[in-house]
Amino acid sequence: MSRDLVLHDWVVAAIALAAGVAAGLLLRAVLRWLGNHASRTAWSGDDIIVAALRTVAPWAAVIGGAAAAASALPLTTRVTGIVNQSLTALLVLVATVTAARIIAGLVQSLAQARTGVAGSASIFVNITRVVVLAMGALVALETMGVSIAPLLTALGVGGLAVALALQDTLANLFAGVHILASKTVQPGDYIRLSGGEEGYVVDINWRNTVVRNLSNNLVIIPNGRLARTNMTNFTQPEQRLSLLVQVGVGYDSDLEHVERVTLDVVDSVMADISGGVADHEAAVRFHTFADSRINFTVILGVGEFSDQYRIKHEFIKRLHRRYREEGISIPAPTRTVSVQPWGSAVPHQRDATDSVLTER
């Protein structure tokens, strides 16, 4: 230092630091007020930005106050350089964390907007956050005078060994990126694998895909397996589904009357039950002369996969009640068993005519 510290120096430094702290508190209060207004808007991005700025702005004010306090003190050139480098690196780290929060939040918001569900594909969010934090850390090291060229070289050489050791993990990572990039599966889709696992896709992260089945249990599927297996996506290309219900009536039924009654029941179910598609054109298709009845298929529309159980439940109840009111029979298969006693001529033999089973 060029001269000794005096009381005036400490007072000026304290005032500068206190001013930085006061400015930080004021900025935090202003940003809290802005956050309340941002929460009333339809766009979620302003909430993310304001929430992130509530972290970086007060810290920036405090660091600025600390820098002003350091400049007010008669420090040597070497100490001043160290203090300035340290404060700059700290500011870069705070800004990096804030930028990572903002960018990751915007990516998550975009994923939610495109999928229309609360869950999101966290693999993109995590990759974005890691990339931004890594870049910020490198900038902070460079600011402090640490050469990052040897570090990057070491990371490149060590990355090859890490890649060999983490082949399965990297395979799942790139499989997850491929699945999302190809848009074959998105969070919120209802899928069924060839192995029998099925449910709603909750999240696709860097290693696995989380699926919630209708029992509200989570099924964890590695991304690599999901990319290799046969899969049915019940949400794409559209969420609406056609529900097929098999019905049969007796041979003495008037099929024109049966068709009209069945379509009336379908229309009432579509209009009254949640999950039904009111503008769906119902259809009845007779297809089989069975042993005891004429079978046909009723085609209903449902809004999404899980709605089919509620729609089918209500349709069968209403159809059964309506058929009873209209006198339309739904015959069950009957069997008549005729048992003949063994003949006395051949008591020790059993012929095929001993038991005759006929079905009608």
Side-chain angles (χ1 to χ4, degrees):
M1 64 180 64
S2 58
R3 59 181 178 81
D4 295 333
L5 289 172
V6 296
L7 180 60
H8 179 267
D9 297 329
W10 290 110
V11 171
V12 172
I15 292 175
L17 184 60
V21 173
L25 295 176
L26 179 61
L27 286 173
R28 188 172 182 83
V30 171
L31 289 172
R32 184 183 297 110
W33 176 79
L34 289 176
N36 294 331
H37 285 272
S39 61
R40 303 171 187 172
T41 62
W43 185 48
S44 60
D46 52 359
D47 300 290
I48 298 171
I49 295 174
V50 172
L53 290 177
R54 288 178 62 181
T55 300
V56 67
W59 277 103
V62 173
I63 293 174
S71 64
L73 298 176
L75 304 176
T76 62
T77 303
R78 180 173 178 275
V79 174
T80 301
I82 293 175
V83 171
N84 290 335
Q85 287 182 347
S86 300
L87 292 177
T88 303
L90 180 59
L91 182 61
V92 169
L93 290 177
V94 173
T96 300
V97 173
T98 303
R101 288 181 180 179
I102 292 175
I103 297 176
L106 292 177
V107 169
Q108 186 175 14
S109 177
L110 178 62
Q112 292 177 0
R114 299 194 61 177
T115 59
V117 295
S120 65
S122 62
I123 182 172
F124 287 149
V125 177
N126 292 333
I127 290 176
T128 302
R129 184 180 290 114
V130 169
V131 170
V132 174
L133 290 176
M135 294 177 61
L138 292 177
V139 172
L141 291 175
E142 188 72 22
T143 302
M144 296 181 66
V146 178
S147 177
I148 62 174
L151 179 61
L152 293 177
T153 303
L155 289 176
V157 175
L160 179 61
V162 173
L164 292 175
L166 300 176
Q167 292 185 37
D168 292 340
T169 301
L170 293 177
N172 288 324
L173 172 63
F174 289 112
V177 173
H178 171 71
I179 289 171
L180 289 172
S182 63
K183 298 182 180 180
T184 55
V185 177
Q186 297 290 326
D189 291 355
Y190 192 96
I191 63 173
R192 177 184 294 161
L193 306 186
S194 57
E197 300 89 348
E198 63 178 273
Y200 290 97
V201 177
V202 176
D203 189 18
I204 302 177
N205 55 45
W206 61 276
R207 182 174 177 80
N208 49 55
T209 299
V210 182
V211 175
R212 177 175 54 83
N213 58 28
L214 295 180
S215 300
N216 209 30
N217 297 318
L218 296 181
V219 181
I220 310 301
I221 305 170
N223 293 333
R225 183 192 167 201
L226 185 65
R228 293 191 304 267
T229 190
N230 295 331
M231 175 185 60
T232 303
N233 192 329
F234 291 95
T235 306
Q236 298 186 24
E238 61 179 350
Q239 196 170 18
R240 290 184 176 183
L241 300 175
S242 292
L243 173 62
L244 308 181
V245 180
Q246 305 300 324
V247 188
V249 294
Y251 276 94
D252 57 346
S253 302
D254 181 355
L255 298 187
E256 295 291 341
H257 180 57
V258 169
E259 184 175 4
R260 286 194 301 270
V261 171
T262 304
L263 291 177
D264 287 343
V265 174
V266 172
D267 292 338
S268 67
V269 172
M270 293 294 97
D272 299 341
I273 306 304
S274 174
V277 181
D279 59 351
H280 176 78
E281 184 177 354
V284 173
R285 298 292 181 262
F286 297 95
H287 56 76
T288 306
F289 288 102
D291 292 332
S292 58
R293 57 186 181 175
I294 298 176
N295 292 330
F296 61 93
T297 301
V298 182
I299 305 175
L300 304 90
V302 295
E304 59 100 11
F305 185 86
S306 62
D307 293 333
Q308 62 176 309
Y309 303 104
R310 180 171 57 256
I311 296 296
K312 183 183 292 186
H313 165 79
E314 191 63 29
F315 171 71
I316 290 176
K317 287 199 309 180
R318 294 191 181 191
L319 187 67
H320 180 261
R321 181 172 64 249
R322 185 70 182 276
Y323 277 5
R324 292 183 62 181
E325 294 173 356
E326 298 290 338
I328 299 174
S329 63
I330 307 177
T334 60
R335 291 183 177 182
T336 302
V337 179
S338 301
V339 180
Q340 298 179 359
W342 288 356
S344 57
V346 190
H348 61 281
Q349 295 182 354
R350 183 172 183 176
D351 190 73
T353 60
D354 290 344
S355 177
V356 179
L357 176 64
T358 61
E359 180 177 336
R360 64 182 181 180

